[in-house]
Amino acid sequence: MTSPYRELATMMQEQSKRHTDRVLSGIMLELGTITATGVKLDSFKYEIGDCFFAEYPFNMEVPALDVIGRSTGPVDEEGEPQAGAETGPLMRHSFLPHKVESVRHQLKEALAPGDRVMCAPLNGGHDVVVLCKVVK
């Protein structure tokens, strides 16, 4: 007959070993799936609704660029042609190199439910940061 104390000790030892393995292996990254209200980690059965999302601020350099296209005018603020608008012939539009500072990629707005993501648990697993979208 198995002692309940021995079972408890074995269970505590296994949980301690798993926790120690995680701590010693560094930051664990986990796969998850974006839901309508948060993220569901593959290793955790509950959805995490109050999670963090990484943002990537950067400066962008646009090289010189030639584009072939047509011009239509006049248009309104949304670019919709107004009454009497005409479209011209094909033209080449040349753009000079340009630097844009303080651009931000907002990961949260770029994700949709069902997207697979890489996450980093924080604060002992109480919080999670969604780092990036994962694709094949």
Side-chain angles (χ1 to χ4, degrees), residues 17-129:
K17 181 180 177 346
R18 279 195 300 261
H19 181 70
T20 302
D21 289 345
R22 276 187 146 180
V23 169
L24 293 176
S25 66
I27 296 177
M28 294 293 297
L29 298 179
E30 298 188 32
L31 286 174
T33 304
I34 294 295
T35 64
T37 57
V39 66
K40 165 77 176 68
L41 298 178
D42 290 358
S43 66
F44 189 61
K45 67 180 182 178
Y46 299 107
E47 176 184 358
I48 301 169
D50 188 23
C51 56
F52 298 97
F53 291 86
E55 286 190 5
Y56 301 97
F58 58 94
N59 294 333
M60 182 173 69
E61 290 187 28
V62 181
L65 177 67
D66 288 336
V67 178
I68 306 296
R70 301 178 192 276
S71 295
T72 301
V75 296
D76 61 17
E77 288 87 18
E78 284 82 38
E80 294 296 320
Q82 293 183 334
E86 295 181 7
T87 300
L90 280 176
M91 301 174 68
R92 183 176 70 209
H93 303 276
S94 296
F95 297 92
L96 299 175
H98 184 70
K99 290 183 182 182
V100 182
E101 295 185 11
S102 301
V103 178
R104 268 189 357 203
H105 176 264
Q106 295 177 324
L107 181 62
K108 184 175 182 178
E109 283 76 22
L111 296 173
D115 285 346
R116 298 287 288 157
V117 292
M118 182 65 64
C119 303
L122 300 175
N123 300 326
H126 295 286
D127 293 314
V128 66
V129 176

